[in-house]
Amino acid sequence: MEPMLSQIDAAPPDPILGLTEAFRQDPAPDKINLGVGVYVDDQGRTPVLASVKEAEARMLESETTKSYLPISGQPAYGKAVQDLILGPDSAVAAAGRAATAHTPGGTGALRVGGDLLRAFFPGATVWVSTPTWANHPGVFAAAGLARRSYPYYDPATRGLDFPAMLAALRDVPAGDVVLLHACCHNPTGVDLAADQWAEVAAAAVDRGWLPFIDFAYQGFGDSVEADRACIQPLLDAVPEALIASSFSKNFGLYRERTGALTVIGGDAEAARRTLSQVKRVVRTNYSNPPAHGGLIVETILADADLTAQWRKELEGMQARIAGVRAQFVEAMARRAPEADFEFIRRQRGMFSFSGLSDAQVDWLREERHIYIVKGGRINVAGITSDNLDALADAVAEALQRG
Ligand code: LMR
């Protein structure tokens, strides 16, 4: 018999992280990476935040052990997560209806949530937006859950097709799960308005489906407060929800894999019971979470000065991206006045759906060494003063080629 492992075919490269690998291997000196959602400053660097460096310096002095964390992480970390994503005055948290497990990144939170749902609701379908983050379908497929999609982005208006979205969500049966992006929708950068969130909440309550909120970009939309206020109407209305949150972007902790799964239960007892099952899922997967990133977040959020410093750094990142959006729109207006790029100013967070076709995306990579995710998502945070003109020239040329 053929040896077992030699029967395994090679997997295709990951649509996002595979692109980063290809970018690294490209020897072109003027290559531009607008693929993976990682913030870079105007010098093209992804620095460790100064608040994070200071927290790490303090941790070096004060940390006394590398023993295991509890399965769901430190209670202080769970509290910090809830204060940030639900707000310090959250009625849900005050009622004990929220229970949080520290997970390896937001992706880990999505997968733990998926495994939990598969264990108790194997017939549940997870509904994702069209389009959605390239890894969402794979995460829920790996958990063994069926997937379906609901309309979201309208290429004609380059905005939200809310009537179609709402009609679909009003048809999702009880017992299914709807994945919603809290803010800075990945990959489109197109978000729901407050009144639209209220209508989605009403659909969830009427139909009885479970919202699973992916909250990976808090602070990159408008602010920490405004971004969590978006999901407030939903959390006020629904009896239950799951929230996957991440500190990869807003604390720049990408490689530290620092995220959380927060369970909102109908009451404190239901939240406690569900968390106990989340712990079983975690124990049979990675046993307990990695400590370093979580301790950084705890250290920063427990100290008023460090918190103020971190907020300033986060606001700086958010403001740079907003500025770059405007610069790119203006650069394109000079080169391709017939093509309207104003929508890039309206879209929020790290990403914009550029409207570039897959053929144009391929041409930009092959001929101009510009790396963009298939489907045309560009990481606006990757645009710098140094690469803006070359990028705009190349995009204008790609548009002309059709
Ligand atoms: C992205 O969408 O680029 C980020 O969320 C990073 C990732 O893991 O794909």
Side-chain angles (χ1 to χ4, degrees):
M1 196 183 116
E2 204 185 339
M4 286 163 71
L5 301 186
S6 61
Q7 298 173 38
I8 299 176
D9 288 333
D14 180 77
I16 297 174
L17 298 184
L19 202 63
T20 309
E21 286 168 34
F23 174 81
R24 287 204 179 112
Q25 280 159 21
D26 186 339
D30 51 353
K31 59 187 178 176
I32 302 175
N33 189 6
L34 305 181
V36 67
V38 170
Y39 175 83
V40 303
D41 63 17
D42 198 43
Q43 281 71 49
R45 299 168 311 199
T46 305
V48 182
L49 299 187
S51 51
V52 167
K53 275 278 188 210
E54 173 58 26
E56 286 180 313
R58 293 186 194 180
M59 285 157 56
L60 197 60
E61 293 301 315
S62 61
E63 207 177 18
T64 53
T65 182
K66 293 288 186 191
S67 178
Y68 295 120
L69 287 187
I71 297 173
S72 54
Q74 294 289 16
Y77 177 80
K79 169 88 170 68
V81 168
Q82 290 180 19
D83 280 355
L84 214 60
I85 66 172
L86 303 176
D89 305 321
S90 159
V92 167
R97 289 177 48 213
T100 296
H102 176 174
T103 57
T107 309
L110 291 165
R111 179 60 192 272
V112 169
D115 285 346
L116 175 83
L117 293 167
R118 176 72 173 81
F120 291 93
F121 311 104
T125 293
V126 179
W127 293 73
V128 298
S129 60
T130 304
T132 196
W133 179 44
N135 206 24
H136 276 150
V139 167
F140 293 108
L145 290 162
R147 283 96 46 222
R148 289 189 65 181
S149 23
Y150 59 87
Y152 189 84
Y153 181 74
D154 180 358
T157 63
R158 302 193 195 271
L160 183 65
D161 186 351
F162 189 66
M165 175 187 182
L166 190 62
L169 296 188
R170 283 185 174 147
D171 259 359
V172 171
D176 276 0
V177 180
V178 175
L179 191 78
L180 298 159
H181 303 224
C183 68
C184 310
H185 182 268
N186 182 359
T188 67
V190 172
D191 286 342
L192 272 65
D195 55 329
Q196 294 170 332
W197 273 111
E199 291 196 68
V200 167
V205 173
D206 286 353
R207 298 296 300 180
W209 45 256
L210 180 74
F212 194 159
I213 302 169
D214 189 346
F215 202 1
Y217 294 89
Q218 187 175 8
F220 279 87
D222 289 318
S223 66
V224 167
E225 284 74 19
D227 291 353
R228 75 168 165 249
C230 297
I231 53 170
Q232 204 55 54
L234 180 70
L235 295 180
D236 285 345
V238 294
E240 301 179 329
L242 295 174
I243 307 174
S245 59
S246 168
F247 294 122
S248 294
K249 329 283 170 171
N250 53 14
F251 281 74
L253 291 176
Y254 309 90
R255 65 173 60 173
E256 299 297 352
R257 311 309 302 133
T258 313
L261 178 68
T262 296
V263 170
I264 311 283
D267 57 29
E269 177 52 23
R272 199 193 57 74
R273 281 200 313 270
T274 309
L275 186 72
S276 72
Q277 294 293 349
V278 168
K279 287 164 71 173
R280 280 180 76 178
V281 170
V282 169
R283 178 64 173 140
T284 54
N285 185 342
Y286 53 88
S287 189
N288 50 77
H292 190 74
L295 192 51
I296 292 171
V297 172
E298 272 176 57
T299 305
I300 292 175
L301 296 179
D303 181 288
D305 290 342
L306 279 183
T307 300
Q309 185 181 18
W310 162 68
R311 276 181 169 262
K312 243 180 117 191
E313 293 185 285
L314 174 57
E315 283 158 22
M317 292 192 278
Q318 192 268 350
R320 191 184 100 72
I321 296 174
V324 162
R325 284 184 180 280
Q327 286 166 20
F328 184 67
V329 171
E330 283 149 27
M332 289 314 300
R334 285 195 294 275
R335 289 164 175 85
E338 67 295 344
D340 181 8
F341 275 88
E342 271 303 317
F343 63 90
I344 293 207
R345 222 192 285 263
R346 291 194 299 274
Q347 297 172 346
R348 289 139 37 91
M350 280 195 185
F351 305 119
S352 267
F353 230 34
S354 62
L356 292 165
S357 68
D358 285 348
Q360 289 166 330
V361 166
D362 287 346
W363 181 83
L364 284 164
R365 189 183 62 254
E366 284 156 17
E367 302 299 328
R368 293 291 180 272
H369 308 279
I370 296 171
Y371 288 73
I372 296 174
V373 177
K374 261 207 172 8
R377 182 193 87 170
I378 58 171
N379 173 22
V380 183
I383 303 176
T384 64
S385 310
D386 274 354
N387 67 28
L388 174 68
D389 283 332
L391 173 68
D393 287 345
V395 171
E397 195 178 338
L399 291 176
Q400 259 177 8
R401 299 174 64 89

PDB file of all heavy atoms in Angstrom, residues 125-137:
ATOM      1  N   THR A 125     -27.181  25.844  10.054  1.00  0.00           N
ATOM      2  CA  THR A 125     -26.444  26.423   8.922  1.00  0.00           C
ATOM      3  C   THR A 125     -25.916  27.788   9.351  1.00  0.00           C
ATOM      4  O   THR A 125     -26.621  28.541  10.028  1.00  0.00           O
ATOM      5  CB  THR A 125     -27.392  26.593   7.711  1.00  0.00           C
ATOM      6  OG1 THR A 125     -27.764  25.285   7.250  1.00  0.00           O
ATOM      7  CG2 THR A 125     -26.740  27.360   6.577  1.00  0.00           C
ATOM      8  N   VAL A 126     -24.678  28.092   8.968  1.00  0.00           N
ATOM      9  CA  VAL A 126     -24.115  29.420   9.236  1.00  0.00           C
ATOM     10  C   VAL A 126     -24.259  30.265   7.973  1.00  0.00           C
ATOM     11  O   VAL A 126     -23.776  29.877   6.902  1.00  0.00           O
ATOM     12  CB  VAL A 126     -22.629  29.326   9.648  1.00  0.00           C
ATOM     13  CG1 VAL A 126     -22.060  30.720   9.894  1.00  0.00           C
ATOM     14  CG2 VAL A 126     -22.466  28.461  10.886  1.00  0.00           C
ATOM     15  N   TRP A 127     -24.934  31.395   8.104  1.00  0.00           N
ATOM     16  CA  TRP A 127     -25.156  32.308   6.971  1.00  0.00           C
ATOM     17  C   TRP A 127     -24.096  33.393   6.989  1.00  0.00           C
ATOM     18  O   TRP A 127     -23.917  34.075   8.017  1.00  0.00           O
ATOM     19  CB  TRP A 127     -26.547  32.944   7.086  1.00  0.00           C
ATOM     20  CG  TRP A 127     -27.663  31.964   6.922  1.00  0.00           C
ATOM     21  CD1 TRP A 127     -28.057  31.009   7.819  1.00  0.00           C
ATOM     22  CD2 TRP A 127     -28.529  31.817   5.787  1.00  0.00           C
ATOM     23  NE1 TRP A 127     -29.113  30.282   7.327  1.00  0.00           N
ATOM     24  CE2 TRP A 127     -29.431  30.764   6.074  1.00  0.00           C
ATOM     25  CE3 TRP A 127     -28.643  32.488   4.562  1.00  0.00           C
ATOM     26  CZ2 TRP A 127     -30.427  30.357   5.193  1.00  0.00           C
ATOM     27  CZ3 TRP A 127     -29.630  32.088   3.672  1.00  0.00           C
ATOM     28  CH2 TRP A 127     -30.503  31.026   3.993  1.00  0.00           C
ATOM     29  N   VAL A 128     -23.419  33.545   5.859  1.00  0.00           N
ATOM     30  CA  VAL A 128     -22.382  34.580   5.760  1.00  0.00           C
ATOM     31  C   VAL A 128     -22.746  35.566   4.663  1.00  0.00           C
ATOM     32  O   VAL A 128     -23.476  35.230   3.729  1.00  0.00           O
ATOM     33  CB  VAL A 128     -20.979  33.971   5.485  1.00  0.00           C
ATOM     34  CG1 VAL A 128     -20.545  33.064   6.620  1.00  0.00           C
ATOM     35  CG2 VAL A 128     -20.935  33.209   4.161  1.00  0.00           C
ATOM     36  N   SER A 129     -22.221  36.789   4.774  1.00  0.00           N
ATOM     37  CA  SER A 129     -22.537  37.826   3.780  1.00  0.00           C
ATOM     38  C   SER A 129     -21.853  37.511   2.449  1.00  0.00           C
ATOM     39  O   SER A 129     -20.819  36.846   2.405  1.00  0.00           O
ATOM     40  CB  SER A 129     -22.072  39.193   4.298  1.00  0.00           C
ATOM     41  OG  SER A 129     -20.677  39.190   4.533  1.00  0.00           O
ATOM     42  N   THR A 130     -22.434  38.021   1.371  1.00  0.00           N
ATOM     43  CA  THR A 130     -21.796  37.955   0.047  1.00  0.00           C
ATOM     44  C   THR A 130     -21.283  39.339  -0.314  1.00  0.00           C
ATOM     45  O   THR A 130     -22.091  40.242  -0.498  1.00  0.00           O
ATOM     46  CB  THR A 130     -22.801  37.523  -1.042  1.00  0.00           C
ATOM     47  OG1 THR A 130     -23.376  36.277  -0.654  1.00  0.00           O
ATOM     48  CG2 THR A 130     -22.116  37.365  -2.379  1.00  0.00           C
ATOM     49  N   PRO A 131     -19.959  39.537  -0.343  1.00  0.00           N
ATOM     50  CA  PRO A 131     -18.909  38.587  -0.006  1.00  0.00           C
ATOM     51  C   PRO A 131     -18.621  38.632   1.498  1.00  0.00           C
ATOM     52  O   PRO A 131     -19.184  39.463   2.218  1.00  0.00           O
ATOM     53  CB  PRO A 131     -17.717  39.146  -0.772  1.00  0.00           C
ATOM     54  CG  PRO A 131     -17.918  40.636  -0.698  1.00  0.00           C
ATOM     55  CD  PRO A 131     -19.400  40.858  -0.740  1.00  0.00           C
ATOM     56  N   THR A 132     -17.739  37.734   1.923  1.00  0.00           N
ATOM     57  CA  THR A 132     -17.282  37.779   3.312  1.00  0.00           C
ATOM     58  C   THR A 132     -15.783  37.514   3.351  1.00  0.00           C
ATOM     59  O   THR A 132     -15.157  37.266   2.314  1.00  0.00           O
ATOM     60  CB  THR A 132     -18.062  36.782   4.179  1.00  0.00           C
ATOM     61  OG1 THR A 132     -17.859  37.098   5.568  1.00  0.00           O
ATOM     62  CG2 THR A 132     -17.632  35.337   3.934  1.00  0.00           C
ATOM     63  N   TRP A 133     -15.207  37.614   4.541  1.00  0.00           N
ATOM     64  CA  TRP A 133     -13.781  37.323   4.725  1.00  0.00           C
ATOM     65  C   TRP A 133     -13.483  35.938   4.139  1.00  0.00           C
ATOM     66  O   TRP A 133     -14.238  34.986   4.407  1.00  0.00           O
ATOM     67  CB  TRP A 133     -13.448  37.368   6.225  1.00  0.00           C
ATOM     68  CG  TRP A 133     -12.023  37.069   6.573  1.00  0.00           C
ATOM     69  CD1 TRP A 133     -10.907  37.544   5.940  1.00  0.00           C
ATOM     70  CD2 TRP A 133     -11.567  36.235   7.644  1.00  0.00           C
ATOM     71  NE1 TRP A 133      -9.780  37.060   6.570  1.00  0.00           N
ATOM     72  CE2 TRP A 133     -10.157  36.251   7.611  1.00  0.00           C
ATOM     73  CE3 TRP A 133     -12.200  35.482   8.629  1.00  0.00           C
ATOM     74  CZ2 TRP A 133      -9.381  35.548   8.515  1.00  0.00           C
ATOM     75  CZ3 TRP A 133     -11.424  34.778   9.545  1.00  0.00           C
ATOM     76  CH2 TRP A 133     -10.031  34.820   9.488  1.00  0.00           C
ATOM     77  N   ALA A 134     -12.420  35.841   3.365  1.00  0.00           N
ATOM     78  CA  ALA A 134     -12.136  34.604   2.620  1.00  0.00           C
ATOM     79  C   ALA A 134     -12.010  33.387   3.540  1.00  0.00           C
ATOM     80  O   ALA A 134     -12.218  32.254   3.098  1.00  0.00           O
ATOM     81  CB  ALA A 134     -10.855  34.793   1.814  1.00  0.00           C
ATOM     82  N   ASN A 135     -11.684  33.596   4.796  1.00  0.00           N
ATOM     83  CA  ASN A 135     -11.488  32.458   5.710  1.00  0.00           C
ATOM     84  C   ASN A 135     -12.772  32.031   6.426  1.00  0.00           C
ATOM     85  O   ASN A 135     -12.796  30.957   7.033  1.00  0.00           O
ATOM     86  CB  ASN A 135     -10.409  32.826   6.740  1.00  0.00           C
ATOM     87  CG  ASN A 135      -9.690  31.614   7.311  1.00  0.00           C
ATOM     88  OD1 ASN A 135      -9.644  30.554   6.697  1.00  0.00           O
ATOM     89  ND2 ASN A 135      -9.132  31.765   8.499  1.00  0.00           N
ATOM     90  N   HIS A 136     -13.828  32.853   6.393  1.00  0.00           N
ATOM     91  CA  HIS A 136     -15.054  32.478   7.125  1.00  0.00           C
ATOM     92  C   HIS A 136     -15.618  31.128   6.676  1.00  0.00           C
ATOM     93  O   HIS A 136     -15.875  30.262   7.525  1.00  0.00           O
ATOM     94  CB  HIS A 136     -16.133  33.556   6.950  1.00  0.00           C
ATOM     95  CG  HIS A 136     -16.016  34.699   7.909  1.00  0.00           C
ATOM     96  ND1 HIS A 136     -16.423  35.980   7.594  1.00  0.00           N
ATOM     97  CD2 HIS A 136     -15.562  34.755   9.194  1.00  0.00           C
ATOM     98  CE1 HIS A 136     -16.203  36.775   8.623  1.00  0.00           C
ATOM     99  NE2 HIS A 136     -15.679  36.065   9.601  1.00  0.00           N
ATOM    100  N   PRO A 137     -15.829  30.934   5.362  1.00  0.00           N
ATOM    101  CA  PRO A 137     -16.431  29.648   4.970  1.00  0.00           C
ATOM    102  C   PRO A 137     -15.578  28.469   5.415  1.00  0.00           C
ATOM    103  O   PRO A 137     -16.108  27.457   5.888  1.00  0.00           O
ATOM    104  CB  PRO A 137     -16.518  29.745   3.440  1.00  0.00           C
ATOM    105  CG  PRO A 137     -16.501  31.217   3.140  1.00  0.00           C
ATOM    106  CD  PRO A 137     -15.638  31.829   4.199  1.00  0.00           C
TER     107      PRO A 137
END
